Amino acid sequence: MLDRIKKLRTEVDNYQVDSIDDLEIFRIRFLGKKGFIVNLFSDFKKVSPEQKREYGKLINDLKNSAIEKISHLKSVLDEKNDFVSNIDLSLPGDPLPVGSRHPISIVRNNIIDIFTRLGFSISEGPEIEDDDHVFSKLNFPPDHPARDMQDTFFIEKGHSESAKNHDILLRTHTSSVQVRDMENSKPPIRTISPGRVFRNEAISARAHCIFHQVEGLYIDTNVSFADLKQTLLYFAREMFGEDISTRLRPSYFPFTEPSAEMDVSCLICGGKGCNVCKHNGWVEILGCGMVDPNVLENCNINSKKYTGFAFGMGVERIAQLKYKVNDLRLYFENDVRFLSQFRSSI
Ligand code: PHE
C-alpha cells in the first residue's frame, strides 16, 4: 500500500495538462467515487492499528495535493482561455507609422514637375567629376577662384590621363551634367539636372558643404533672352504663386553671357524687409544667362547656328522660402520630429 501511495503522489506532482477535459478525467481518476483516494480509504480499514496514523496522514496528504493541483491547473487553464477569448480578431491592427518624404525631395520634385510640364527632360551625372566637366569646358579661366581649394573638394590633384592633366574633384555644380549632355547629344537640347553638389564651406545656419541644385539648359536655333525670362517667370509663379514679383539683376558667370541673377519678392516679410532678405525685400533664388558661345564650341556645338540659355538654383534656398525654415542645418540632421511636418503628394 505504501508503494501505491508513493506512485500516485509522484503522478500528482508531475501532472501537466492542456485542456479542461483532460483535467476532469484526472480529477475523476483521483477524487471520483471510484477513484484512487476512495479506494485507498477503503483499503485503509485493513491497515493494522499501529500503522493507521502514518498511512492516514499519507493518504490525506495525497488527497490534499490532488485537490490543490487540480485547482491550480484549473486557474492556469482559465487564465489562458480568458486571454484567448478576449482577443477581438476583428479589431484593426496597430497602425505602422508612415514615413514622410524629405522636404528637400519634395521641393526638388516640385521643381522637376514644373519644368517637365514645359518639356524639359531630366539628366543625371556623376558626383565625382573631372576638372574638364566642372570648370574647363565651362570657360572657367585656369586661375578662377572657384577652382581654388577653398571652394572645391579635390580628390586627386593633377591626375594624369593620356598625357593631359586632370584634377578629380567633387562637382561644385550640376552644370557638369549639362556639359556631358552637350557632348553626347545634338540640339535641340532641353534638359534639367537635379543633383547633389559639394563646396568647401564652413557649416552654419546659412551655408552647408553639401547641397542640392536643379540646373537647366535649353539649346536650339533662335533661343533668346526673352525665352529665358519667360521660362523663369513661369517657374516662379508655379512655385510661389501668381502674386510673386521677380526681377533680374545683371551678374557674371564664366559660362553665360549675358548673365543674370533672379530675385523674388521676399515671401517671409512680403517685401517689407526682414533678416532673410537682408531688409531689402528681395531674395536671390537662381543664376542664369545665355550660354557663352565658347562653351558651345567646347562641347562641339556650332555656336553660329545654335544659341541657348542656362539657369541653376539651390533646392535648399527654395525650400527655405517655401517652408520659412531658415536654418539650413535642419535639412541635414534628419530629426524625424522636423521631417514628419512635411507632407506632400509628390
Ligand atoms: N552653375 C551656377 C552655380 O552653381 C548656376 C548657374 C547655372 C548660373 C547656369 C548661370 C547659368 O551657381
Side-chain angles (χ1 to χ4, degrees):
M1 184 167 185
L2 210 54
D3 272 357
R4 243 169 80 208
I5 299 174
K6 269 193 190 148
K7 251 171 100 184
L8 291 171
R9 180 63 198 251
T10 323
E11 197 183 327
V12 170
D13 288 346
N14 295 335
Y15 185 65
Q16 295 298 338
V17 71
D18 296 320
S19 81
I20 280 280
D21 292 347
D22 287 350
L23 186 62
E24 181 59 9
I25 293 169
F26 177 80
R27 190 191 67 77
I28 294 167
R29 274 177 67 224
F30 275 81
L31 302 172
K33 276 186 194 144
K34 292 178 185 160
F36 299 134
I37 308 283
V38 171
N39 276 342
L40 282 171
F41 276 123
S42 69
D43 291 351
F44 180 69
K45 289 173 203 145
K46 297 172 214 155
V47 171
S48 66
E50 311 83 74
Q51 289 180 315
K52 275 219 153 63
R53 205 180 151 85
E54 184 195 354
Y55 279 44
K57 185 170 178 332
L58 284 175
I59 298 171
N60 268 325
D61 283 353
L62 176 66
K63 184 181 169 188
N64 290 337
S65 63
I67 291 171
E68 246 171 61
K69 182 84 181 203
I70 288 165
S71 90
H72 169 71
L73 290 177
K74 192 169 176 327
S75 65
V76 170
L77 287 174
D78 281 352
E79 216 171 276
K80 230 173 160 181
N81 276 349
D82 272 1
F83 178 68
V84 173
S85 58
N86 276 344
I87 296 179
D88 181 351
L89 294 174
S90 66
L91 282 176
D94 287 337
L96 283 176
V98 180
S100 54
R101 219 181 268 288
H102 194 286
I104 296 301
S105 302
I106 296 174
V107 172
R108 185 201 52 197
N109 291 352
N110 279 334
I111 300 170
I112 292 175
D113 195 44
I114 294 169
F115 285 106
T116 44
R117 283 209 295 277
L118 287 175
F120 283 78
S121 58
I122 299 164
S123 48
E124 289 184 337
E127 292 178 353
I128 299 175
E129 264 290 7
D130 54 28
D131 176 283
D132 254 4
H133 290 92
V134 177
F135 298 127
S136 294
K137 290 200 167 162
L138 285 163
N139 206 31
F140 279 81
D143 52 357
H144 192 282
R147 294 174 179 241
D148 207 290
M149 285 294 248
Q150 253 95 59
D151 273 352
T152 309
F153 287 112
F154 289 95
I155 292 175
E156 207 177 324
K157 274 286 219 182
H159 172 80
S160 165
E161 191 186 81
S162 61
K164 260 171 84 189
N165 267 344
H166 290 283
D167 290 340
I168 304 295
L169 43 91
L170 293 179
R171 66 183 180 195
T172 56
H173 53 183
T174 58
S175 303
S176 53
V177 181
Q178 304 180 337
V179 173
R180 290 182 181 277
D181 280 337
M182 287 187 280
E183 285 173 338
N184 297 328
S185 46
K186 287 192 167 45
I189 298 172
R190 190 159 45 182
T191 182
I192 49 170
S193 6
R196 212 158 26 161
V197 299
F198 309 84
R199 288 185 199 172
N200 195 353
E201 306 225 27
I203 296 170
S204 71
R206 299 175 65 92
H208 209 287
C209 58
I210 303 174
F211 60 98
H212 300 81
Q213 282 192 325
V214 178
E215 297 221 352
L217 176 74
Y218 177 30
I219 297 176
D220 203 345
T221 49
N222 297 322
V223 176
S224 72
F225 200 88
D227 297 324
L228 169 63
K229 232 177 129 175
Q230 190 55 39
T231 304
L232 295 181
L233 181 65
Y234 174 80
F235 164 73
R237 288 192 173 150
E238 288 292 299
M239 192 67 184
F240 299 115
E242 285 295 313
D243 297 335
I244 196 82
S245 307
T246 60
R247 71 176 186 187
L248 287 173
R249 271 182 296 105
S251 185
Y252 171 78
F253 299 101
F255 35 91
T256 47
E257 182 60 34
S259 304
E261 279 170 318
M262 188 165 97
D263 297 340
V264 294
S265 48
C266 180
L267 284 125
I268 312 261
C269 64
K272 284 194 206 82
C274 67
N275 61 350
V276 172
C277 60
K278 299 191 196 116
H279 302 283
N280 68 29
W282 295 96
V283 186
E284 183 223 314
I285 60 160
L286 55 82
C288 60
M290 302 306 292
V291 181
D292 193 301
N294 286 344
V295 174
L296 296 176
E297 295 297 334
N298 289 343
C299 301
N300 304 322
I301 291 175
N302 183 350
S303 64
K304 303 257 171 343
K305 186 167 173 204
Y306 294 106
T307 51
F309 68 67
F311 59 86
M313 67 187 85
V315 180
E316 281 77 2
R317 175 64 64 86
I318 309 282
Q320 280 181 313
L321 284 174
K322 211 173 153 65
Y323 295 129
K324 306 185 172 55
V325 173
N326 283 328
D327 193 330
L328 261 185
R329 290 167 295 196
L330 284 166
Y331 293 112
F332 292 90
E333 279 163 6
N334 284 339
D335 183 334
V336 279
R337 291 169 302 178
F338 174 71
L339 297 182
S340 61
Q341 297 174 63
F342 302 89
R343 302 260 165 216
S344 144
S345 53
I346 297 194

